[in-house]
Amino acid sequence: MDPRQTQHPRFAITIFFTFLCVLLIWWVLPRHNANDIPLPIVTKAVTMLTGNTVSGTVTFTQTSPTGVVTISGSIENLDPSAKRGFHIHAAGDLSAGCASAGAHFNPFGKTHGSPSATARHVGDLGNIESNPDGVASFVFRDSLISLNGPLSIVGRAVVVHAGTDDLGLGGDDESLKTGNAGARAACGVIGIA
Ligand SMILES: [Cu+2]
Ligand SMILES: [Zn+2]
C-alpha cells in the first residue's frame, strides 16, 4: 500500500481529536466573565497612618453604597490639646511620602471649607482634636464621602496635618485651598477591609 494513503488520514484524525479535546476542555473550564460578577459593595475601609512621630488607625464604615460614612479612629503623638487638619487627599500615592498624596480630594472643583459647608472639598473632614496626652480618639459621620461610586475614597489617602485647618475662613488664598493646615504629619492609603 502507498504510505501516503495511510499516513494522511491518521494525521487528520489526530488533528481532529486534538481539536475536540481542546474544545471539550475549553467547554468544561469555568468561565470568568466580569459581567457575571455583581458589583462589589465596600462597607468597610481602613488606613494605617504613619509619619515621623504621629501614627494611628482610621476606620470608615458605610452600610449602603449611598449611605452616610462613619469615621472612627485613634491617632497618637499629636501636639497636646490641639486641633489638627484631617483630610482625604486625592492620591493614594505615598512614594514620596505624604507629599505625593496630592491635593484635597475635590471632584466637584469647589473651594476648601468646613465639613458642614456647602462649599467644601469632598475630602474636607475638618479637624480632629487631641487630648492633653496628644491622643485623638474620635467617631463622627460624613454624608459626602463614600466607599462606593464616584465619590469613593478607597485607594486615596488620609492626611493628618501639623497645624489647624481654618476651614476656609482664614481670609487668604491658601485658606480656600488647604485651610492653612500646615505640614503633613502623617498619612496612609485607604484600603478595603
Ligand atoms: Cu490635608
Ligand atoms: Zn480642602
Side-chain angles (χ1 to χ4, degrees), residues 85-89 102-104 112 123-124 157-161 165 177-178 181-184:
F86 184 79
H87 314 130
I88 311 298
H89 285 235
H104 298 184
H112 180 77
D124 290 347
V158 171
V159 175
V160 180
H161 288 268
D165 186 336
K177 287 179 192 162
T178 66
R184 302 178 179 191

Side-chain angles (χ1 to χ4, degrees), residues 31-39:
R31 227 43 50 85
H32 295 288
N33 188 344
N35 295 323
D36 295 343
I37 306 166
L39 266 181

